[in-house]
Amino acid sequence: MSTEPSSPTPRFGVWLIGARGSVATTAIAGCAAVAAGLHPPTGMVTEAPPFTTCGLPSLSSLVFGGHDTVDCPLPKRAEHLAAGGVLPHGLPAAVGAELAAADREIRPGGPLPGDTSRSDEEWIEAFAADIRAFVRRQGLAGAVVVNVASTEPAPTDGTLPPSSLYAAAALRAGCPYVNFTPSTGLHHPSLASLAASSGVPYAGRDGKTGQTLLRSVLGPMFAQRALAVRAWSGTNLLGGGDGAALADPAAAAAKNAGKERVLADTLGAAPQGEVHIDDVPALGDWKTAWDHIAFDGFLGARMVLQTTWQGCDSALAAPLVLDLARLLLRAREAGLTGPRPELGFYFKDPDGDASSALGEQYPALMAFATRLRDDV
Ligand SMILES: NC(=O)c1ccc[n+]([C@@H]2O[C@H](COP(=O)([O-])OP(=O)(O)OC[C@H]3O[C@@H](n4cnc5c(N)ncnc54)[C@H](O)[C@@H]3O)[C@@H](O)[C@H]2O)c1
């Protein structure tokens, strides 16, 4: 990022939709911890070469704010996450000032189900005004909006769901937009022309952090070895807010569509088998994802591969949220606009015509880094 020698280092906003959730809280606390040198940036692709020479905004230049529909203060939310082992013990106190500063920049979100107090246009304008006021108040050089709110069911009646109201507000405020969830966001048909004319870069949908990450590696492996996958079944056990939201079959259907798309794309056709998501509140943020893959080898020999992924969901997601925020801010500065299929590496259901195979997505991400570096 080029600045006059005497000018202060520019700061950039990261406006999180669902700013009091597990992923958002982990991203805010983690950014402060890594920036202060308290922890290494494990899991952050943008802290490794070639991104270190691409002019990305530094972690210490990021300022957080956002919308949420609950009012539990961020420092308290972080304490809950530390008690559950998601954040290291002592971290909430060590980054308490940064959590409190972000908490002061969180505004009430909406609309909750059944809320008819405002029209869609009024919601969009109110959200956009909140984002613009944040940028002005903090003297920011720009801001990116990242959706990490609870997964919504796909709309069935043509109305704009909350995620789409926020996406429209981001574009109206002139901000790049990332949809880290399977919710509709910018994919609503009535936002197509707004997205096309927005002049900002955007990326989505649904961060690829565990089971689907593995699928995007293993699917191409079976196809490349000419092994016939007969069935691919999966079960996820998780708790926390995400587990509770995905207990709604309509919300889970939105999530599972992305997981299944990866298999259909990489294997050429969707195999038999389903994905199930079970809410197990006692597990909190700790997810177990089990996949059972039945396949045929030479002369019809029947074989099975089983994988068990035991992950801490927010610890997997937060570094990707920080990566995406920095990449979109930098893309905006480099004058890139529209959907960014180069970022398909990060998503279950990538925008544009991106491949679903991780082995093809990584070179595309590296080519993106070269493009950003050439712009420095
Ligand atoms: N590994 C991962 O953790 C992972 C991977 C991919 C996608 N995601 C997605 O990220 C999202 C966040 O996950 P989480 O574990 O932090 O969930 P969470 O339940 O802890 O947090 C979601 C937050 O969104 C808020 N919210 C709900 N409706 C809102 C609205 N209309 N406006 C503003 N805020 C609203 C909730 O109050 C809550 O604070 C989910 O959609 C999840 O599916 C997570």
Side-chain angles (χ1 to χ4, degrees), residues 17-18 20-23 67-70 77 110 148-151 162 166 180-182 206-207 209 241-242 255 313-314 317 348:
I17 312 303
R20 300 189 192 281
S22 301
V23 172
H67 285 114
D68 207 307
T69 47
V70 298
R77 195 74 187 78
V148 282
S150 317
T151 298
Y166 287 115
F180 200 77
T181 81
D206 201 7
T209 56
D242 202 21
K255 184 69 123 188
D313 248 5
S314 300
K348 291 188 187 73

Side-chain angles (χ1 to χ4, degrees), residues 75-144:
K76 195 165 168 201
R77 195 74 187 78
E79 288 294 351
H80 285 152
L81 290 173
V86 177
L87 295 179
H89 179 70
L91 187 70
V95 299
E98 289 87 345
L99 288 168
D103 195 65
R104 287 192 291 275
E105 290 292 359
I106 300 178
R107 297 292 174 268
L112 291 172
D115 181 350
T116 52
S117 62
R118 290 174 179 173
S119 66
D120 286 354
E121 170 55 30
E122 286 167 339
W123 280 112
I124 294 169
E125 190 45 41
F127 292 151
D130 286 339
I131 299 167
R132 287 195 208 100
F134 168 63
V135 170
R136 236 185 353 259
R137 194 166 46 248
Q138 293 282 350
L140 303 174
V144 58

Side-chain angles (χ1 to χ4, degrees), residues 206-369:
D206 201 7
K208 183 165 70 195
T209 56
Q211 183 177 50
T212 316
L213 181 64
L214 263 186
R215 288 178 164 213
S216 70
V217 174
L218 294 177
M221 178 195 79
F222 283 106
Q224 288 162 0
R225 276 294 170 97
L227 295 167
V229 173
R230 289 186 295 116
W232 198 313
S233 316
T235 288
N236 292 267
L237 310 177
L238 80 158
D242 202 21
L246 294 172
D248 172 0
K255 184 69 123 188
N256 291 341
K259 290 177 186 274
E260 283 163 5
R261 183 193 146 173
V262 171
L263 294 187
D265 281 3
T266 58
L267 298 174
Q272 256 182 40
E274 291 179 4
V275 185
H276 294 273
I277 302 179
D278 286 357
D279 178 28
V280 186
L283 297 183
D285 217 41
W286 298 84
K287 182 194 276 178
T288 296
W290 175 66
D291 263 2
H292 181 284
I293 308 153
F295 65 101
D296 282 351
F298 197 46
L299 309 180
R302 298 214 150 180
M303 293 176 259
V304 168
L305 169 68
Q306 296 183 54
T307 62
T308 308
W309 176 282
Q310 291 181 283
C312 174
D313 248 5
S314 300
L316 291 163
L320 308 188
V321 166
L322 296 173
D323 273 357
L324 286 163
R326 301 170 86 191
L327 289 166
L328 269 286
L329 285 164
R330 182 70 185 90
R332 167 94 164 117
E333 192 191 53
L336 302 178
T337 63
R340 304 311 323 169
E342 307 95 326
L343 300 178
F345 178 72
Y346 288 98
F347 297 107
K348 291 188 187 73
D349 184 14
D351 279 338
D353 54 0
S355 162
S356 291
L358 197 76
E360 291 173 26
Q361 292 170 334
Y362 188 67
L365 182 70
M366 293 302 111
F368 189 58

Side-chain angles (χ1 to χ4, degrees), residues 164-192:
S164 297
L165 301 174
Y166 287 115
L171 301 193
R172 189 173 291 186
C175 294
Y177 170 78
V178 177
N179 189 357
F180 200 77
T181 81
S183 302
T184 309
L186 270 185
H187 282 238
H188 198 280
S190 68
L191 298 185

